[in-house]
Amino acid sequence: DRVTKLTTFTRVPSRSVGAAIEVPSEAEFFGLIRDHAERFHEIIHGVNHERMLGNASFRCARGFPSFKREGLIFVSRRNVDKRFIGPEAFVATELADDGSVAYYGDIKPSVDTPIQLRLYDALPDVNYMLHSHTYVEGATFTDEPVPCGAIEEVDQILLARSQHRRSCDFAINVLGHGSIYFAKDCRSMRDIPWIPRPIPEVIGG
């Protein structure tokens, strides 16, 4: 039944649409990511434990001196160790009219970018997201496990988010995947109670 269900999930393509765009300064956010990544490194065991499993992103609603473009989402690129992250590790992205991921430059953003772009669109007060393959203690869980990168995860997250009164600064545990912390101000991310996912993690009956 699970194999059959997996065939129904939707993935969207990504494509480069122009030259790389300079990443704006978000020094405090980058510092918080590095701090949290050290914690992820401590509690995540198993394959790929040499790097943080997850990603980070932020919204830029400001124009740039050299051109007029607003609403870009900067997402960390694939396979980068977030313990040492800086602006060079981020890729400018936006949601294309056809629902695909448009990114700038030659480096692809995280595989979770399609989900995060849609979440930024649905949650206009959110300016930062931090995704990890750990859970957050006490956070609401989504109802159904969805494969990493499948856009059905968006509906699951928004359904879980509907249980929160606040529009931002909250965490959602994504069942079988990890968690996402949403923030309007990155300073709310200073003390997030990360906990490891159980190994093995048994989902369903």
Side-chain angles (χ1 to χ4, degrees):
D1 289 343
R2 182 61 181 164
V3 171
T4 300
K5 180 65 176 178
L6 288 172
T7 66
T8 69
F9 290 110
T10 309
R11 297 183 182 274
V12 298
S14 61
R15 66 182 187 279
S16 178
V17 294
I21 291 175
E22 181 180 356
V23 179
S25 176
E26 287 284 348
E28 186 168 19
F29 181 53
F30 300 152
L32 285 167
I33 296 169
R34 291 192 292 268
D35 291 343
H36 286 303
E38 289 288 354
R39 175 62 179 149
F40 301 149
H41 189 68
E42 291 173 4
I43 66 177
I44 293 177
H45 303 283
V47 296
N48 292 324
H49 63 277
E50 293 301 320
R51 62 181 178 87
M52 169 185 148
L53 296 177
N55 61 54
S57 62
F58 63 96
R59 184 199 305 270
C60 183
R62 303 182 297 273
F64 290 82
S66 59
F67 57 90
K68 295 288 185 181
R69 181 183 295 277
E70 296 186 351
L72 288 174
I73 304 298
F74 290 84
V75 182
S76 57
R77 61 182 175 86
R78 300 180 185 186
N79 300 325
V80 62
D81 191 331
K82 278 71 174 182
R83 293 175 297 164
F84 312 103
I85 203 164
E88 71 286 346
F90 283 82
V91 180
T93 71
E94 58 188 349
L95 191 62
D97 292 338
D98 63 0
S100 64
V101 173
Y103 65 93
Y104 292 84
D106 299 324
I107 301 173
K108 284 191 173 186
S110 166
V111 70
D112 291 289
T113 302
I115 289 88
Q116 294 191 13
L117 290 178
R118 287 165 171 79
L119 289 171
Y120 276 113
D121 188 55
L123 303 170
D125 288 336
V126 169
N127 293 320
Y128 302 90
M129 295 184 196
L130 179 54
H131 163 53
S132 171
H133 291 184
T134 64
Y135 287 146
V136 175
E137 187 175 16
T140 302
F141 275 84
T142 56
D143 292 332
E144 179 183 348
V146 176
C148 180
I151 60 174
E152 285 79 5
E153 196 171 69
V154 175
D155 291 336
Q156 288 283 313
I157 292 169
L158 292 177
L159 179 62
R161 174 259 175 185
S162 67
Q163 301 179 38
H164 293 267
R165 294 181 180 178
R166 295 181 298 172
S167 60
C168 53
D169 301 326
F170 63 93
I172 297 293
N173 285 329
V174 184
L175 186 63
H177 184 179
S179 61
I180 303 183
Y181 191 92
F182 301 83
K184 183 174 185 177
D185 186 325
C186 69
R187 288 173 292 185
S188 74
M189 293 178 160
R190 286 176 177 165
D191 298 303
I192 303 174
W194 309 106
I195 55 174
R197 287 170 51 197
I199 300 175
E201 184 170 7
V202 180
I203 298 172

